Structure formats: C-alpha cells, structure tokens
Amino acid sequence: MKLLILNGPNLNLLGKREPAIYGSDSFEDYFKTLQKKHTGIELFYFQSNIEGELIDKLHEVGFLYDGVVLNAAAYTHTSVGIADAVKAIETPVIEVHISNVHAREEFRHTSFIAPNVKGIIAGFGLKSYELAIQSFL
Ligand code: DQA
C-alpha cells in the first residue's frame, strides 16, 4: 500500500510555529516515527507552500497511490484549485488538521476541500495523521 502525506503552507515550520496550537515536534521527526510504526506500508511525505505544487502532487499520485492524507493548511479555507484537484483524482483523500479548526476563528470553519474527501480528522494534534493512516488499513 502506498500512501502520501501532503502538507500545505507553513507546516514546514511545525515545532517552531505557534507551539501552543501545533505542538513542539517537527514534522520530519514525527514522520520518522510514523514510518517506524507502519513498516508494512510505503509512506511518502511532501510539503509545499505553493498551491500549484500541491495540485501537481495530487495529479502525480492521484491515479497511482492508495490514499492521500492531506493537510492543506490555510488553503483548506481558500482554494478552489485544490478542491477541484481532490475531486479530479481517483485516489481517496482524507482531510486532516492538527488543531480543531471548528473551535477556532470562523474563517477556519469553512473547508473548500471537505465535500470531495472521504473523511475528515481534526483536533488530535499530530496524531490526526496517524488516525488518517489507520483509516486506510
Ligand atoms: C491547520 C488549520 C488551518 O486553519 C491553518 O491555516 C493551518 C493548519 C491545522 O492543521 O490545524 O495552517 O490545517
């Protein structure tokens, strides 16, 4: 099984960015833990701050991989392009958020992506990613 974790803008700063909300672990370290925990699957990771690169990645894996765990970060709330890409591909996508977006500012309550995903996991810290992976197993 091939799964991609796809992270959007500012998530390269995890560990340094607003630790009270997003925690103090870097994603690179957490990703190593995830790989060790899931030796039976091929787990890949890509992060970009650029909307078009996230769309290109969805196109690249979207007819080949078994699943995508997508944290589109701020683009969740703004991007018709990413929402359309999720709809266009065959690979099922799970939307994840580290924080509980519904307990935060109102602009975070809207997800352009949500109607096109298989499911949504939010508010469990970095564990949100692991729960999404488990949903594919
Ligand atoms: C986030 C929530 C978004 O509202 C925010 O823009 C992010 C991260 C989360 O994982 O909690 O960058 O997607």
Side-chain angles (χ1 to χ4, degrees):
M1 173 174 291
K2 268 188 176 178
L3 298 182
L4 173 72
I5 296 177
L6 185 55
N7 269 348
N10 303 307
L11 294 175
N12 54 309
L13 294 181
L14 283 178
K16 296 180 201 147
R17 171 194 182 198
E18 299 180 88
I21 297 175
Y22 298 113
S24 47
D25 296 331
S26 76
F27 198 81
E28 286 70 20
D29 286 347
Y30 180 66
F31 183 64
K32 281 181 200 146
T33 309
L34 281 178
Q35 281 183 311
K36 277 186 203 142
K37 274 194 183 174
H38 300 92
T39 47
I41 59 175
E42 288 181 88
L43 202 52
F44 298 90
Y45 168 56
F46 182 77
Q47 188 277 333
S48 178
N49 295 319
I50 299 166
E51 188 175 12
E53 287 187 1
L54 296 166
I55 293 169
D56 283 346
K57 197 48 132 179
L58 286 166
H59 293 178
E60 186 188 316
V61 305
F63 297 88
L64 299 171
Y65 282 34
D66 302 292
V68 174
V69 175
L70 172 63
N71 187 348
Y75 288 141
T76 306
H77 318 300
T78 62
S79 177
V80 175
I82 293 176
D84 280 353
V86 169
K87 196 169 188 184
I89 62 175
E90 282 172 2
T91 300
V93 176
I94 307 280
E95 175 180 338
V96 303
H97 299 286
I98 297 163
S99 62
N100 176 358
V101 283
H102 296 285
R104 299 180 65 193
E105 302 96 322
E106 202 163 332
F107 68 86
R108 296 186 205 276
H109 301 181
T110 300
S111 168
F112 281 64
I113 295 161
N116 304 332
V117 297
K118 195 174 167 202
I120 302 165
I121 299 170
F124 295 93
L126 289 177
K127 197 171 171 90
S128 294
Y129 292 90
E130 186 175 355
L131 294 170
I133 290 168
Q134 281 167 10
S135 78
F136 284 112
L137 304 180

